[in-house]
Amino acid sequence: PEPGRCAHFVLRKRRFCRMIPAPGRRFCGEHGHEEEQNDRKRIPCPLDPKHTVYEDQLQKHLKKCNSREKPKPVYFVQDINAGLKDVAEIPEKHVPLSSLSIEELQNLIIKLKKASNGLELHLKEQILSHQALQEALNDPKNGESAFKHLKQQASILGNMEKLHLLGPGRCFVEFGAGRGKLSHWVDIALENVESVQFLLVERATTRFKVDGKHKRRDSIFERLQVDIQHLCLNKVPILEKKRLPVVGIGKHLCGAATDLALRCLVESYTSCCDGEDEEPAPKRCRAAQTEVAPHKSAGNESTTEDHKPVAGIVIALCCHHKCDWTHYVGREFFKSVGLGPGEFHYFQRMSSWATCGMQETTSKASPSEDSEDQTNDTEEHEQALSRTESGSDTLQGILSVEERKEIGCLCKRLIDHGRIEYLQQQGYKAALQYYTESAVSLENVLLTAVPNPSLIPEP
């Protein structure tokens, strides 16, 4: 071993441990059990057996171990947005696509086309931009990957502006925020606007966050480290106190996370959540009580009086192959067209064909992608599918590349239509549109929703 370093030899790495032991010791704390320490014994930590602890110091260690269960925040309500609670409806484990026979696959495709018949499958193109990003878009220092992300962010902001969602007196909730780039640009766009709040929801710890760099006093950034499945917006202190209209946003919100976010906004936030053990209030279209106000009047005092819980939703969709029937908001739509959890399982797997085609999976990302938010990188997400999982061997010679892509797109649109119908039933005017070119991102569909005044229920 190197002088002053631990004497334990790590077989897996074929080198000595590089930790520094205490003065007078040959081994570090992790490998101290290898030398006699007055008969002191080291045992695996019961919270995380990957590390060890002295047996006589176990109780002291358990109080400060990083693997101990942390206190839950006030806005954590177990499974509040999970959706399906009936265990009998939860689908059983299904065989992979590659194990299905040709006849079974053909039957699935027939069911898919029959269910899609009559749906609006050709989305309109609404590729917009916003002046807040013009300087960054024209900066030659930005590489190709950064430029693609900027174009998507600019179009999302452009669509938000068209829906009059960029205004004062609102709370922007970014789901799957990652580094918080989308909220950053919304804040730049609202430079001269007062009373703006940002809630950045991300379950994982994130490095190189951009929200901490904001110096403006008018806008407040707060991070919520929680899974969307357990997030009760009503219990977030700033919303509980001010009851601000919320605008839900997200860029490439993966699969089931989109469904969890939609339910979080239009169900758990719209209907008052008074406690974890209490039954939620009856579903009402409170989100549709008032039409979205024009940009100028969005900050009027009447906002508090005529409370609009959710002023709008703008989410760039992603990774339909990661959807889950348990959380999916469009289950009623699927049932209405004669489909169930079995068909949903295979359709969500087949949806990857829209972006994978017949090509083999590659796991290497271009070096320039490291500079942007990896959690928002579409290509990286799609590469998570294995070749076996996508059933390419079974389909070789049966379907062409173009046919596979067409079927994959059909699966995506069918899943998305279930989300649209769900939002419409909840009192929203919802739509899907292409918000960027496929050359910029293969996941180029944006879901937007605003309260629909024509669906206000009778008092």
Side-chain angles (χ1 to χ4, degrees), residues 148-202:
K148 286 182 176 181
H149 284 281
L150 288 167
K151 285 194 75 173
Q152 293 174 69
Q153 288 153 349
S155 185
I156 291 173
L157 261 68
N159 277 278
M160 289 176 69
E161 188 172 53
K162 187 171 182 178
L163 294 170
H164 307 295
L165 295 178
L166 294 177
R170 290 183 180 168
C171 180
F172 294 88
V173 183
E174 183 179 357
F175 294 94
R179 292 168 57 196
K181 277 292 188 74
L182 185 55
S183 291
H184 165 78
W185 289 116
V186 172
D187 188 48
I188 297 295
L190 298 173
E191 189 175 0
N192 300 316
V193 175
E194 297 179 353
S195 186
V196 178
Q197 319 277 344
F198 290 91
L199 294 177
L200 280 66
V201 183
E202 177 59 61

Side-chain angles (χ1 to χ4, degrees), residues 406-419:
E406 184 183 341
I407 291 168
C409 287
L410 211 55
C411 290
K412 284 177 177 284
R413 296 296 76 80
L414 190 68
I415 292 171
D416 289 340
H417 187 80
R419 291 164 169 167

Side-chain angles (χ1 to χ4, degrees), residues 38 120 361:
N38 299 323
E120 182 56 55
T361 307

Side-chain angles (χ1 to χ4, degrees), residues 196-233:
V196 178
Q197 319 277 344
F198 290 91
L199 294 177
L200 280 66
V201 183
E202 177 59 61
R203 66 181 177 183
T205 53
T206 310
R207 300 175 67 193
F208 310 119
K209 298 184 284 286
V210 298
D211 41 300
K213 299 178 182 178
H214 291 265
K215 305 296 182 184
R216 290 178 50 214
R217 294 182 180 178
D218 293 338
S219 59
I220 299 172
F221 278 73
E222 183 182 346
R223 277 197 172 256
L224 308 179
Q225 190 176 340
V226 62
D227 194 309
I228 305 170
Q229 182 170 333
H230 314 300
L231 172 60
C232 179
L233 286 176

Side-chain angles (χ1 to χ4, degrees), residues 90-389:
I90 297 175
E92 298 177 4
K93 212 170 185 181
H94 297 281
V95 296
L97 279 172
S98 55
S99 300
L100 296 179
S101 66
I102 295 173
E103 290 75 22
E104 287 173 320
L105 280 168
Q106 287 174 337
N107 285 335
L108 279 172
I109 294 170
I110 291 169
K111 284 184 179 181
L112 173 67
K113 291 182 176 178
K114 183 180 178 181
S116 305
N117 190 30
L119 300 183
E120 182 56 55
L121 302 174
H122 301 287
L123 308 182
K124 67 175 181 178
E125 228 178 50
Q126 197 153 285
I127 302 172
L128 305 176
S129 191
H130 197 280
Q131 59 184 6
L133 290 95
Q134 288 312 304
E135 186 178 340
L137 284 167
N138 295 326
D139 189 349
K141 293 180 182 177
N142 286 319
E144 184 183 350
S145 177
F147 181 70
K148 286 182 176 181
H149 284 281
L150 288 167
K151 285 194 75 173
Q152 293 174 69
Q153 288 153 349
S155 185
I156 291 173
L157 261 68
N159 277 278
M160 289 176 69
E161 188 172 53
K162 187 171 182 178
L163 294 170
H164 307 295
L165 295 178
L166 294 177
R170 290 183 180 168
C171 180
F172 294 88
V173 183
E174 183 179 357
F175 294 94
R179 292 168 57 196
K181 277 292 188 74
L182 185 55
S183 291
H184 165 78
W185 289 116
V186 172
D187 188 48
I188 297 295
L190 298 173
E191 189 175 0
N192 300 316
V193 175
E194 297 179 353
S195 186
V196 178
Q197 319 277 344
F198 290 91
L199 294 177
L200 280 66
V201 183
E202 177 59 61
R203 66 181 177 183
T205 53
T206 310
R207 300 175 67 193
F208 310 119
K209 298 184 284 286
V210 298
D211 41 300
K213 299 178 182 178
H214 291 265
K215 305 296 182 184
R216 290 178 50 214
R217 294 182 180 178
D218 293 338
S219 59
I220 299 172
F221 278 73
E222 183 182 346
R223 277 197 172 256
L224 308 179
Q225 190 176 340
V226 62
D227 194 309
I228 305 170
Q229 182 170 333
H230 314 300
L231 172 60
C232 179
L233 286 176
N234 274 304
K235 289 181 176 289
V236 177
I238 197 166
L239 291 177
E240 191 175 29
K241 181 181 178 182
K242 297 189 177 183
R243 302 301 298 170
L244 294 168
V246 161
V247 178
I249 59 175
K251 176 175 174 284
H252 290 168
L253 197 55
C254 273
T258 295
D259 299 299
L260 295 171
L262 293 178
R263 195 175 281 108
C264 176
L265 289 165
V266 306
E267 287 190 45
S268 69
Y269 185 57
T270 301
S271 59
C272 291
C273 175
D274 297 321
E276 292 185 31
D277 301 323
E278 296 180 16
E279 286 296 320
K283 292 180 186 178
R284 294 182 296 162
C285 297
R286 280 182 56 197
Q289 285 179 2
T290 324
E291 186 176 1
V292 176
H295 191 98
K296 291 182 182 178
S297 61
N300 289 349
E301 292 179 4
S302 61
T303 306
T304 309
E305 205 170 32
D306 302 329
H307 175 53
K308 303 183 294 294
V310 180
I313 300 170
V314 180
I315 295 175
L317 303 173
C318 178
C319 298
H320 293 71
H321 63 271
K322 291 185 179 180
C323 288
D324 190 309
W325 176 259
T326 306
H327 305 311
Y328 182 51
V329 295
R331 292 193 303 269
E332 291 305 316
F333 162 70
F334 257 65
K335 291 175 183 177
S336 70
V337 291
L339 302 174
E343 289 82 7
F344 179 84
H345 168 80
Y346 291 118
F347 290 165
Q348 51 113 184
R349 304 316 300 170
M350 290 157 67
S351 69
S352 64
W353 297 351
T355 48
C356 292
M358 293 289 278
Q359 299 174 1
E360 289 189 32
T361 307
T362 56
S363 58
K364 294 181 180 178
S366 61
S368 62
E369 287 174 357
D370 293 335
S371 63
E372 265 296 335
D373 188 353
Q374 290 291 335
T375 59
N376 284 343
D377 190 81
T378 311
E379 288 76 16
E380 181 192 6
H381 289 185
E382 289 301 338
Q383 287 166 2
L385 275 179
S386 67
R387 191 169 178 231
T388 306
E389 215 171 8

